[in-house]
Amino acid sequence: MEVLDPVAAAVAGELALLEPSVRASRAESERLLDPEFTEVGASGRWWTRAAMLDALTDMDDVAALDGQGAPCVPAGVRGVLLAPDIVHLTYELAFGGRHVRRSSVWRRQPDAVLWRLYYHQGTPVPPEHR
């Protein structure tokens, strides 16, 4: 199994989680979400891994679709390796007339190949700050 550059691996995982087909698959979501995953959503809601896994298949995919049914494409994706097994990503999504700045922390367990999303936060961007 090929081991990707840590930042590239985290970006690949983040992009996968934006795909409606991945979000609709509990098995794929479980594979990509760290067992200790938490999220503060753009709404301010606190999510646990269990709550997110239960909700993903029923969500309207507002986080993954642009309002016209097309997948969202993140802009300005930046990543930095914070420690050997920790990557921080930032980027912005525009969808359905909304703009959200996103921040994700990806981690890899020692001696593992798979990177998993450990923490995610979405912050709405008002028009005057775009």
Side-chain angles (χ1 to χ4, degrees):
M1 185 179 284
E2 179 183 351
V3 177
L4 295 174
D5 166 85
V7 173
V11 169
E14 191 80 28
L15 294 177
L17 282 170
L18 291 174
E19 290 294 326
S21 62
V22 172
R23 296 169 68 82
S25 167
R26 186 174 181 102
E28 281 299 297
S29 297
E30 285 177 339
R31 186 178 71 79
L32 290 168
L33 296 182
D34 189 272
E36 297 178 35
F37 168 83
T38 58
E39 174 176 331
V40 177
S43 67
R45 179 177 176 178
W46 185 268
W47 294 86
T48 64
R49 183 178 193 259
M52 182 60 73
L53 289 171
D54 288 344
L56 270 176
T57 56
D58 295 327
M59 286 183 175
D60 291 333
D61 274 323
V62 294
L65 300 176
D66 69 359
Q68 286 80 42
C72 287
V73 177
V77 178
R78 292 183 201 104
V80 62
L81 184 65
L82 298 177
D85 295 317
I86 304 287
V87 170
H88 179 232
L89 299 179
T90 57
Y91 61 98
E92 189 168 320
L93 278 183
F95 56 92
R98 295 175 57 201
H99 288 256
V100 178
R101 290 198 178 115
R102 297 177 134 207
S103 176
S104 296
V105 176
W106 287 76
R107 77 175 180 178
R108 181 181 62 180
Q109 295 298 325
D111 301 321
V113 175
L114 181 64
W115 286 80
R116 292 178 149 177
L117 181 57
Y118 173 74
Y119 177 79
H120 181 77
Q121 182 165 349
T123 303
V125 182
E128 64 270 18
H129 293 292
R130 293 181 191 158

